[in-house]
Amino acid sequence: MTNQTRKHKNPKDVSVGNYIFLIIVCIISVFPLFWMFVASTNKSVDVVSGTLIPGTYIAENYKKLIAGTNLWTAMWNSFKYSVTLTFFCLVVCSLAGYGFEVYHDKAKDRLFSVILLAMMVPLAATMIPLYQMCSEMGLLNTTAGFILPTISTPFMIMLFRQNSRSFPHDIIEASRIDGLGELQIFLRMYIPTQKSTFAAAMTIAFMNAWNSYLWPKVIMLKNDSITMPMLIAGLKSGYVTDYGVLMLAVLFCTLPTVLIFFVLQKQFAQGITGAVK
């Protein structure tokens, strides 16, 4: 009987195939951003025709955008609302996640299960009672009205609780022996060890707040309270849409979230990975 020889794939061939696959995926992922930039530099007619060559019409598109909308007011409002919501979301959800894990008991587990069930309830289902509450409390067209419905989310609490499981409880006991209070332990011991979790949570909270459209559309009734997603929706609501101006507005709206993600991408990956472990 003859011995049959097995054919093994060359590791170099496998690595080249992986690189080719990754390059194709990168091109597909980056292409929408490239097309958005190209469209913002061309006339509406060129955008509709599908040109992929950058034009020289970006200055005219910017003038039209400034003349027809409150661009910088919308940018400032989105930045103000997003930063405020992100800050309070981190404070509330980190304290909640820390408390659920450090002061653990069966009653808190049942409460946490109820909180997780709330993830299945969409915002649209609670929007009418939320609007009535904000209206009666005088929170229409205010930052408080914007942030209160989403200042604490089940996902954020779960993220902090899962990552809190890796926080050594021996540090808590040693800190208590040294005379530190519970809040001091949280501020001086817990937060420095959970920087990646806070970075991941900050990225998610800021992007969700910045891209929020439905609730601001309901709660913000004045033109001075407009946000960037509302401004972009307004550019599409006319009889004729100038796609060059529209893509320039989308470019302005996209840049802050892209910048934050690229700055914090390493910490974001570490925070999300830690939540899965």
Side-chain angles (χ1 to χ4, degrees):
M1 295 178 65
T2 60
N3 296 327
Q4 295 181 354
T5 60
R6 297 181 179 179
K7 295 182 179 179
H8 297 281
K9 291 184 179 179
N10 191 343
K12 293 184 178 180
D13 296 337
V14 176
S15 115
V16 170
N18 291 338
Y19 279 117
I20 293 175
F21 174 75
L22 291 175
I23 290 172
I24 294 174
V25 171
C26 288
I27 292 175
I28 295 174
S29 302
V30 174
F31 179 76
L33 297 175
F34 171 75
W35 184 82
M36 177 180 61
F37 170 75
V38 170
S40 66
T41 63
N42 285 286
K43 297 181 180 179
S44 182
V45 177
D46 298 327
V47 176
V48 174
S49 64
T51 182
L52 296 177
I53 301 175
T56 59
Y57 208 69
I58 189 169
E60 287 76 5
N61 288 337
Y62 178 75
K63 291 178 181 178
K64 291 180 181 179
L65 182 61
I66 291 294
T69 62
N70 297 325
L71 174 64
W72 296 114
T73 300
M75 287 286 289
W76 166 248
N77 288 337
S78 291
F79 180 79
K80 177 179 65 176
Y81 300 148
S82 300
V83 170
T84 306
L85 176 57
T86 301
F87 174 77
F88 284 104
C89 181
L90 291 181
V91 172
V92 174
C93 294
S94 62
L95 285 170
Y98 175 82
F100 272 117
E101 183 59 30
V102 173
Y103 309 106
H104 183 269
D105 57 39
K106 293 183 179 180
K108 290 186 179 66
D109 285 342
R110 288 192 288 269
L111 178 59
F112 187 73
S113 300
V114 174
I115 292 176
L116 292 181
L117 287 175
M119 295 179 66
M120 295 187 295
V121 181
L123 178 62
T126 60
M127 190 165 296
I128 293 177
L130 283 174
Y131 177 81
Q132 292 176 342
M133 291 171 59
C134 291
S135 178
E136 293 175 0
M137 297 172 63
L139 298 179
L140 300 180
N141 302 303
T142 63
T143 305
F146 180 93
I147 69 174
L148 282 178
T150 53
I151 197 172
S152 175
T153 62
F155 174 78
M156 287 295 181
I157 296 175
M158 180 182 67
L159 176 67
F160 279 104
R161 187 193 181 186
Q162 292 298 108
N163 280 358
S164 296
R165 293 182 175 179
S166 62
F167 182 67
H169 285 256
D170 294 339
I171 295 179
I172 299 176
E173 298 299 330
S175 300
R176 289 171 179 168
I177 294 174
D178 291 338
L180 292 181
E182 298 301 320
L183 184 59
Q184 289 177 315
I185 295 174
F186 177 81
L187 295 176
R188 297 171 59 180
M189 299 297 176
Y190 176 77
I191 292 180
T193 62
Q194 300 291 330
K195 291 181 180 179
S196 60
T197 305
F198 277 88
M202 183 181 71
T203 304
I204 296 172
F206 184 88
M207 293 179 67
N208 289 339
W210 184 273
N211 296 325
S212 179
Y213 170 73
L214 187 58
W215 177 245
K217 185 67 175 178
V218 172
I219 200 73
M220 302 299 179
L221 306 177
K222 296 181 180 178
N223 291 331
D224 294 338
S225 303
I226 192 174
T227 61
M228 283 302 297
M230 295 168 62
L231 182 142
I232 293 172
L235 291 173
K236 295 175 59 179
S237 61
Y239 292 102
V240 179
T241 302
D242 192 327
Y243 290 102
V245 175
L246 177 62
M247 287 297 104
L248 183 60
V250 173
L251 181 63
F252 274 106
C253 186
T254 305
L255 286 177
T257 55
V258 171
L259 180 62
I260 288 177
F261 180 78
F262 276 107
V263 170
L264 299 175
Q265 60 178 329
K266 183 178 180 180
Q267 292 81 359
F268 176 81
Q270 291 175 352
I272 295 298
T273 303
V276 175
K277 290 181 180 179

